[in-house]
Amino acid sequence: MKHISYIDDLNEWKASFSFFHPIKVRFSETDAFGHLNNTVPFVYFEEARIEFLRHIGLMDRWLSETSEAIPVVADLQCHFLQQVYFAERLQIGVKVHEIGNSSVDLHYIGQKEDGTIAFTGRGIMVQISKQTGKGIPWSDEMRSILKGSSES
């Protein structure tokens, strides 16, 4: 496997995920060669990220009519390790890697049913103001929720 800058020890990194969202590859997500199109893991990351944020209770806060804040993705990358095909079942893992002032570095793993890694990813999500577009620092409670979600 090639070196991926955000992973020091692959086995340790893989074992640190505790939240997973199931995905079944749809025919429309494959390309003319029969394998998963290279843009689709980003859609899977989004779906799993939303479910993760719901699971830890932050998504409902942002969706509240009274919320001044919304989450936006500032950076997202993916490393492809093996091909994925139509109808395969994947588990997309999401975890908090590092918490900034108003940002959080999230890591992703796409695993096949046999546990092998098909792709990995990471990205920065920032909590911003709906009005100004500027970052809103995490409250102590939100920081605690994010920190707690990464402890298994």
Side-chain angles (χ1 to χ4, degrees):
M1 178 176 89
K2 65 182 178 177
H3 176 70
I4 299 174
S5 63
Y6 50 89
I7 301 173
D8 291 324
D9 178 287
L10 183 64
N11 291 327
E12 184 179 305
W13 181 82
K14 180 180 175 182
S16 67
F17 284 86
S18 60
F19 178 87
F20 291 90
H21 179 70
I23 298 279
K24 184 176 180 185
V25 178
R26 297 178 297 188
F27 181 77
S28 63
E29 296 168 334
T30 61
D31 61 21
F33 302 105
H35 65 271
L36 188 69
N37 183 280
N38 65 325
T39 64
V40 175
F42 295 99
V43 175
Y44 293 169
F45 292 165
E46 177 184 47
E47 184 176 335
R49 179 176 58 251
I50 289 168
E51 292 306 318
F52 171 73
L53 294 169
R54 278 195 171 133
H55 175 74
I56 64 173
L58 294 183
M59 186 56 74
D60 289 339
R61 292 175 188 223
W62 290 315
L63 291 173
S64 164
E65 288 182 25
T66 60
S67 176
E68 156 64 8
I70 58 172
V72 296
V73 172
D75 166 35
L76 193 58
Q77 58 186 225
C78 181
H79 288 88
F80 301 93
L81 304 179
Q82 62 176 289
Q83 293 188 52
V84 176
Y85 297 93
F86 166 66
E88 281 194 86
R89 293 181 186 279
L90 304 172
Q91 291 289 323
I92 309 301
V94 182
K95 71 173 185 164
V96 170
H97 176 68
E98 188 174 356
I99 305 166
N101 184 48
S102 61
S103 66
V104 61
D105 185 11
L106 298 172
H107 284 197
Y108 305 92
I109 188 170
Q111 292 185 135
K112 294 187 173 196
E113 285 184 297
D114 66 2
T116 60
I117 302 173
F119 47 83
T120 67
R122 61 146 304 279
I124 301 287
M125 185 187 78
V126 182
Q127 176 178 246
I128 67 166
S129 164
K130 292 179 189 176
Q131 311 306 319
T132 68
K134 305 261 187 228
I136 297 177
W138 301 115
S139 68
D140 289 341
E141 180 187 10
M142 293 174 98
R143 183 175 295 280
S144 178
I145 290 168
L146 288 166
K147 188 176 188 301
S149 72
S150 63
E151 298 168 354
S152 7

